[in-house]
Amino acid sequence: MSHSTNRAESPPTEPLLAVKGLRKQYEASAFSSAGKEVLRGVDFQVQPTETVGIVGLSGAGKSTIGRLVAGLERPDGGEILYSGQSIGRLRGARRRQAASGIEMIFQDPYESLSPRMRIADLVAEPLRIRKKYRGNRAGLEQAVRTALANVSLPPERYMARYPHELSGGERQRVGLARAFVDPPRLVIADEPTSMLDSSLRLELLALMDRLRRDSGTATMLITHDLALAYRFCDRLLVLSDGEIVESGTPAQVIEQPAHPFTLRLVQALREFHP
Amino acid sequence: MKLGTLGGTGRAGMMGRIGLFLLGAMILFALLGPLLIPHDPMERTGAPLAAPGDGHLLGTNDIGQDILAELAAGARVSLTIGLAGAAASMTIGVLVGVLAGYRGGWTDTLLMRAVDVSLTLPFLPLMILLGVFLGPSMSTQILVIAILMWAKVARELRSQILSIRTRGPVQSARAMGAGDGYILRKHILPMTLPLLIPQFIQAVTASILMESSLSFLGLGDPLAKSWGSILFYANARSAFLTDAWIWWVVPPGLCIVWTVLGCSFIGYWLEEKASPRLKSYAAPAERGARGWFRSRPSRTAASAAKAGETLRIDGLTVEYPKPDAQESVAALRGIELVVKPGEIVGIVGESGSGKTTLAAAIMQMLKHPAESAGSIRFAGEELTELSDRELRAIRGHRMALVPQAAMNALNPVWTVRKQLTEAITCHRKLSRAEMEKRIGTLLEQVGIESRCLQAYPHELSGGMKQRVVIAMALVNEPAFVIADEPTTGLDVLVQAEIVALLQRLQQQLGISMIFISHDLPVVKRIADRIVILERGAVVDEGDPEQLSRHSTHPYTRKLMDAIPSIGRLEQPLERPRPAQPTPSPEPLHAAAGR
């Protein structure tokens, strides 16, 4: 399936995330009798501190992988092993415990932040949900300040503001601060830059890259933008019609695409990036 | 500039103030009235049917009870039942709505069928039946009101929650591991509250009216005075046979009107506040599409378009007045732009740079309340001075727009054939055979198979829909096309196809084109000349190659440098690769393609 045998794919350590035969099918609707199979047996691994890019066209099932790993949906088949533990079907408190350290960054910075909460509360939300710093307001505030400062938003200027007072780029930084405030082990970034102006995209990804390196976090970068993934990932997975058709280092995928689909993708990319 | 101030916020705010005054005065009357009025409403304190005058400001009824005192006592009862009935129905409605919307599945199905049943119950007979069955009393009235009104609340709340449930804040909280309690408390309730408050006020209004009706039908508490029961007795004891109805019937009626009007005004105001989107529709102003366009004759005379220019824009400024303030927001500032025949001009800018406003200004389709000035000459004609009729003859005929988000520009209930036919018949009559031929040509031009003619938009992919929209722009063989973000939202494979299509069409048909996009790599690929817009002004201009290599303008540079390069790895990545697993990739120069 892939031609990634020419390099050390799995170091001796256990993978942080191992996805095996993952399937997802959306329910049959009134219009189509058969349910649509979005994922048709997906296998991949994410090593600790590795950045894996998942690229593909819209409808390929990229976001579904992210949502399944983040626990927003439940798989119809296959397994999701996180630190060796199967988390795909857990719910409630057990899931919260087993999946601790998985964070998600959403696509739409305008929509994912509650307009009724101040920036400080938004950043503190993951800590509050996990009942950390309970009864320790000073500690909570300090954590929020550090998280905001880490994404270059001066805490004293931003903590009391509301999302609508921020630009798209600033909001996505708040999204990053939220993901990194409670030191994560795996960050799932679903198209984190697609709603941003192009001049901000590289900047935001560079920031995310710095944060994940500083905290030694593994990342799944889900994107349609092969050029961005090429630039920021250690390994790329090319997804087409619910299957991984190619995987390898960015250089391998771009320069020697093995699968015809990848070849088409790369050729289209070169149209615009001569 | 004064246009915006009339409507929206101001009017609603005024209604809110009037409503608060009306309701506040009534509440004050209910609280203080019984203390200040020296008569007991239940006692005979004067002559029967005494006209208003000394001692009895509003006169007395047939057994000599003071009407003003009755009204004050009635205000207490009516307002209490109004509030209690509204509170009871809201409580049931919110519980059912939240449960159905949040839990979904079987809970939802069952509860919603109950709502459906409840909504189809005939309101008046049920009210009478329940009133008779349970016996007249205040709690009966509250119960009847609650039973009749909870379903509407539940249904509206459920649909709200269904949509809130899938929104970003809820999804991200769930991804952080939040439980149901947290999500309901922190996200769902705060987001529905602005909708619940106006609903509550509506419920108060409705239950005051219902209370009056119930009491008027004799189903109220016989021992408590309410406005409805005053009316009931007045009617039953033939107030209308004498002049007494003027002081016996009119005042309680006015009290009901007063209170309901107060509540409605407050409700209207709160609704406006909760959904500010209504505001933009509040000031429709009956002017035509371009009544506020001030052209500057001096300027237009000076810039007589040179022959051989498809489009010449001089000093185009578009401003959006702010609703409250005196100053206005400039969307475009002094734009100068020329499009030559057969040229593709790319307009690049980030969000808010005024790209789409520019397209709308050229098409003379600016939205209210935009104000614009300057000159736009199309093939020598000053567009800003044309009448609506003359413009319609140009729009879609000699000059066409491929609108932004083309996927939504198609009518979902029309087949592709119908969409195209419609676009053609807007401008000319063709016989059946000619129409078929024209459609055939169009399909061939944009590369759609003829079997797609029978398809509805939802059956087509994004790229196909975009082709249909391009075909619609081309139906009347325009000389000039504005394509607004035609590749946005499409996959890179499809983007390449659409760009190739537009290029081919431009060559075959010799049209001039403005290609608007935020996506610089795409524009670089297609445009003969690029114009860079930043905050409503043209900051840089040139052919793609020259701009990307030699421009020194900081904004242009920023945009150019933001294009992630592939296959040019000799430019160092600022990011050190982690030691683990990847070896640094070998540099490689343009392995494939160009």
Side-chain angles (χ1 to χ4, degrees), chain B residues 435-486:
Chain B
M435 183 71 84
E436 282 306 309
K437 196 163 161 248
R438 182 77 194 110
I439 289 180
T441 321
L442 281 169
L443 289 187
E444 200 178 310
Q445 279 173 348
V446 299
I448 303 179
E449 292 172 48
S450 57
R451 63 185 169 83
C452 288
L453 276 178
Q454 308 311 326
Y456 287 93
H458 74 266
E459 298 172 295
L460 300 175
S461 67
M464 276 305 190
K465 278 188 250 184
Q466 187 66 60
R467 283 169 195 263
V468 173
V469 175
I470 291 173
M472 283 167 69
L474 294 177
V475 284
N476 294 307
E477 297 166 28
F480 173 55
V481 171
I482 303 174
D484 191 0
E485 301 272 11

Side-chain angles (χ1 to χ4, degrees), chain A residues 57-58 67 96 106 111 116 125 129-130 178 197 199 209 212 230-234 251 264 270-271 273, chain B residues 168-169 171-172 176-178 182 187 190 350-351 491 493 525 563-564 569 573-575 577 582 585 592:
Chain A
L57 302 183
S58 52
R67 294 176 60 83
R96 201 175 316 156
F106 288 84
E111 223 248 352
R116 285 177 183 75
E125 197 175 16
I129 286 174
R130 288 162 205 156
R178 248 147 86 93
D197 282 326
S199 63
D209 206 48
R212 64 150 216 98
Y230 172 78
R231 182 115 186 229
F232 284 97
C233 295
D234 301 319
R264 280 212 297 151
R270 290 205 190 273
E271 285 265 306
H273 300 271
Chain B
Q171 294 280 300
S172 51
M176 291 168 196
Y182 178 90
H187 290 287
E350 307 209 310
S351 45
D491 284 318
L493 292 179
R525 174 87 173 72
I563 303 176
L569 288 176
L573 300 174
E574 71 264 36
R575 118 163 231 254
R577 299 249 158 197
T582 324

Side-chain angles (χ1 to χ4, degrees), chain B residues 27-146:
Chain B
I27 290 173
L28 219 61
F29 176 57
L31 289 176
L32 300 180
L35 306 176
L36 297 178
I37 298 163
H39 306 290
D40 183 338
M42 307 304 278
E43 296 295 322
R44 175 188 298 237
T45 51
L49 294 180
D54 291 344
H56 300 285
L57 273 179
L58 284 177
T60 59
N61 64 9
D62 64 335
I63 42 175
Q65 294 165 331
D66 183 70
I67 298 223
L68 188 64
E70 281 195 299
L71 286 181
R76 287 189 169 188
V77 173
S78 292
L79 287 175
T80 309
I81 293 184
L83 289 173
S89 57
M90 288 294 286
T91 311
I92 304 175
V94 168
L95 275 178
V96 172
V98 167
L99 214 61
Y102 192 74
R103 294 293 299 275
W106 275 106
T107 326
D108 183 33
T109 314
L110 280 176
L111 288 175
M112 280 303 111
R113 292 302 79 76
V115 165
D116 289 344
V117 169
S118 167
L119 282 172
T120 51
L121 290 176
F123 144 77
L124 200 64
L126 182 77
M127 193 162 91
I128 296 170
L129 192 76
L130 281 171
V132 172
F133 182 68
L134 297 168
S137 79
M138 211 150 131
S139 45
T140 305
Q141 287 181 315
I142 294 175
L143 186 73
V144 170
I145 289 167

Side-chain angles (χ1 to χ4, degrees), chain B residues 446-581:
Chain B
V446 299
I448 303 179
E449 292 172 48
S450 57
R451 63 185 169 83
C452 288
L453 276 178
Q454 308 311 326
Y456 287 93
H458 74 266
E459 298 172 295
L460 300 175
S461 67
M464 276 305 190
K465 278 188 250 184
Q466 187 66 60
R467 283 169 195 263
V468 173
V469 175
I470 291 173
M472 283 167 69
L474 294 177
V475 284
N476 294 307
E477 297 166 28
F480 173 55
V481 171
I482 303 174
D484 191 0
E485 301 272 11
T487 57
T488 303
L490 299 175
D491 284 318
V492 64
L493 292 179
V494 187
Q495 284 188 353
E497 287 169 22
I498 296 291
V499 164
L501 169 68
L502 287 174
Q503 270 181 326
R504 185 165 55 74
L505 287 173
Q506 191 277 327
Q507 281 158 13
Q508 279 177 1
L509 308 174
I511 43 182
S512 325
M513 197 183 297
I514 284 188
F515 187 101
I516 297 175
S517 179
H518 70 281
D519 198 346
L520 188 54
V522 172
V523 180
K524 266 172 72 184
R525 174 87 173 72
I526 190 171
D528 300 315
R529 196 151 51 84
I530 296 183
V531 172
I532 308 241
L533 270 186
E534 186 192 12
R535 272 178 279 141
V538 174
V539 295
D540 209 351
E541 194 174 346
D543 70 71
E545 197 58 10
Q546 177 207 338
L547 273 190
S548 66
R549 286 190 195 280
H550 307 299
S551 174
T552 51
H553 191 281
Y555 187 66
T556 311
R557 278 267 63 89
K558 192 174 154 198
L559 289 179
M560 292 290 172
D561 295 341
I563 303 176
S565 55
I566 58 159
R568 274 194 288 165
L569 288 176
E570 68 275 20
Q571 289 183 355
L573 300 174
E574 71 264 36
R575 118 163 231 254
R577 299 249 158 197
Q580 205 232 264

